[in-house]
Amino acid sequence: MVERPYSRQHISAQFNAEIDAVKSDLLEMGGKVENQIELAAEAITQRDSSIAERVLLIDREINQLEIAIDEQCIRILARRQPAASDLRLIIAITRLTRDLERIGDEASRVAKLAIQSAESDASSTAYTSVEIKLENIAHHVIDMLNRALDAFARLNAADAILVVLSDTDIDKTYRASMKELQAAMAETPVTLPSMLQLMWALRSFERIGDHASNIAEQVIYLVTGEDVRHLSADTLRLMLD
Amino acid sequence: MVERPYSRQHISAQFNAEIDAVKSDLLEMGGKVENQIELAAEAITQRDSSIAERVLLIDREINQLEIAIDEQCIRILARRQPAASDLRLIIAITRLTRDLERIGDEASRVAKLAIQSAESDASSTAYTSVEIKLENIAHHVIDMLNRALDAFARLNAADAILVVLSDTDIDKTYRASMKELQAAMAETPVTLPSMLQLMWALRSFERIGDHASNIAEQVIYLVTGEDVRHLSADTLRLMLD
């Protein structure tokens, strides 16, 4: 990773301040989204609809933040006519808000499932086993998102690459959980509705992992200038050398 | 809809040509994605893995187009320092490519399901009934995407609003199909694997509808300057007056 096209040399201190403000708003949005996923995981595993309601409330704040940050970005682009490196940063930020907002949507989906499942009785050995896997996946994706945002804050491409690579672990656990759920559904069809709820929740967490991975890809693009969205894991690993 | 901040008054003919080129590339990408969804729907309903393979091939082209269009956009931003109205167009285009690319991903997911289902035998009354609903949803989302891209080409906000509003019909059919599938799974657990495949395919088409709706929202933003992403259907309907 020799190339570092992103360097900041501005004439205007005011411009720097604007860029820093939008970066810090993005990180604030990221923090809210992390908190939202944590609560969503808690809501679904504890079948707690009051926690789920909080997730839905946070989602409105996140949507507002997305709009506000996008407006800031467009204002900066229009007034400041930034140089290529800052341009890339601003474009990356408008993409990151999109991913964060979609993570928020997935967390809300999980919250809605939690509200449904709070009303149903769903205790079976298979259910509990998958629930534990779901908790693992949730922790893993929260960690991924946290590391992706941290890599953004410090413009660290190597860390971002590790985030992208770690997504494959989630995919593995996800597939194993799906198989387990499917077997359990076939065996005891009476548990089907609650198993399907768990399945959709799993899917949402897996998607959150994808979005965290997208965020990390944007950081790599920002630091190295390389668009890695469709590269293989092996090619990515080579970039770490 | 009085406000029309998007108006094109450029000094440079070259600049116009660049904007037109990127718009036409976007529409080309859109055409490929439409074709891809059509083939994905065909592949899954006819359980035809050779059609599914074509879907996966098209996906690579779409990914390349996304990268190429994004690069064009950044080049224009860096060299031309466009005025606010064109800025908004370019930002909108980078978002549209993202939605188109994700539609492509969903089509690929359906294609992979089609390859799996080509190997399984899945004929039951419930399966056929849901398959018909899936075909309906697929046609509906292809139509939505087509109209959203058309609204973009003609910068027609009213048509874009109609696209966003039509997404609720899809959601209704989707929910009905899900209920039907769930009932069928509970009744004849032996059909579970194929029913789940159909369920994931349905989900993908529903998501494609969401992305088409996002594209239409971007067109509304482009033409009216209004960010309608989190507005209710009633508020949107009022904009049509």
Side-chain angles (χ1 to χ4, degrees), chain A residues 63-64 66-67 70-71 74 77-84 87-88 91 94-99 101-102 105-106 109 174 178 181-183 185-187 189 192-194 196 199-200 203-204 206-207 210-211 214 217-218 221 227 229-230, chain B residues 63-64 66-67 70-71 74 77-84 87-88 91 94-99 101-102 105-106 109 174 178 181-183 185-187 189 192-194 196 199-200 203-204 206-207 210-211 214 217-218 221 227 229-230:
Chain A
N63 292 343
Q64 291 311 315
E66 187 200 7
I67 292 176
D70 278 0
E71 274 169 13
I74 288 181
L77 285 176
R79 285 199 317 208
R80 300 278 170 192
Q81 309 195 321
L87 246 177
R88 210 188 273 171
I91 296 286
T94 68
R95 286 184 185 151
L96 296 192
T97 56
R98 209 94 210 271
D99 278 304
E101 192 260 343
R102 293 206 174 149
D105 286 347
E106 296 294 345
R109 279 196 185 95
Y174 171 74
M178 281 295 169
L181 268 178
Q182 198 166 320
M185 284 190 263
E187 215 166 282
L192 208 103
S194 56
L196 285 174
M199 192 163 112
W200 292 123
R203 172 72 155 201
S204 283
E206 187 255 352
R207 280 295 173 89
D210 287 344
H211 286 293
N214 289 341
E217 284 168 357
Q218 286 298 322
Y221 165 73
D227 198 324
R229 279 176 289 179
H230 307 293
Chain B
N63 291 343
Q64 291 310 316
E66 187 200 6
I67 292 176
D70 278 0
E71 275 169 12
I74 288 180
L77 284 177
R79 284 196 320 206
R80 299 281 171 192
Q81 310 196 319
L87 245 176
R88 209 188 273 172
I91 295 285
T94 68
R95 287 185 183 149
L96 296 192
T97 56
R98 209 94 211 271
D99 277 305
E101 192 261 344
R102 294 207 173 149
D105 286 347
E106 296 294 345
R109 281 197 184 95
Y174 171 73
M178 281 296 167
L181 268 178
Q182 197 166 321
M185 284 191 262
E187 215 166 281
L192 208 102
S194 57
L196 284 174
M199 192 163 111
W200 292 122
R203 173 74 155 200
S204 283
E206 187 255 352
R207 280 296 174 90
D210 288 343
H211 286 294
N214 290 341
E217 284 168 356
Q218 286 298 323
Y221 166 73
D227 198 326
R229 279 175 289 178
H230 307 292

Side-chain angles (χ1 to χ4, degrees), chain A residues 36-53 55 106-120 122 127 130-135 138 193-202 204-205:
Chain A
Q36 199 196 16
I37 318 172
E38 275 166 33
L39 291 174
E42 217 177 304
I44 190 87
T45 52
Q46 297 175 17
R47 275 163 248 163
D48 185 325
S49 49
S50 70
I51 299 176
E53 296 291 353
V55 173
E106 296 294 345
S108 296
R109 279 196 185 95
V110 173
K112 283 175 195 157
L113 290 166
I115 292 170
Q116 284 171 30
S117 72
E119 292 154 12
S120 68
Y127 191 90
V130 175
E131 224 171 24
I132 291 166
K133 284 205 180 66
L134 184 139
E135 269 184 326
S194 56
M195 290 292 183
L196 285 174
Q197 280 168 3
L198 211 49
M199 192 163 112
W200 292 123
L202 269 170
S204 283
F205 282 111

Side-chain angles (χ1 to χ4, degrees), chain A residues 27-43 51 54-59 61-62 100 103-104 107 142 145-146 149 205:
Chain A
L27 291 171
E28 186 199 326
M29 182 178 176
K32 271 194 205 295
V33 172
E34 282 176 39
N35 180 232
Q36 199 196 16
I37 318 172
E38 275 166 33
L39 291 174
E42 217 177 304
I51 299 176
R54 275 168 64 201
V55 173
L56 299 177
L57 275 178
I58 298 174
D59 203 44
E61 292 173 42
I62 289 168
L100 287 176
I103 292 178
I142 291 165
L145 177 60
N146 188 278
L149 290 171
F205 282 111

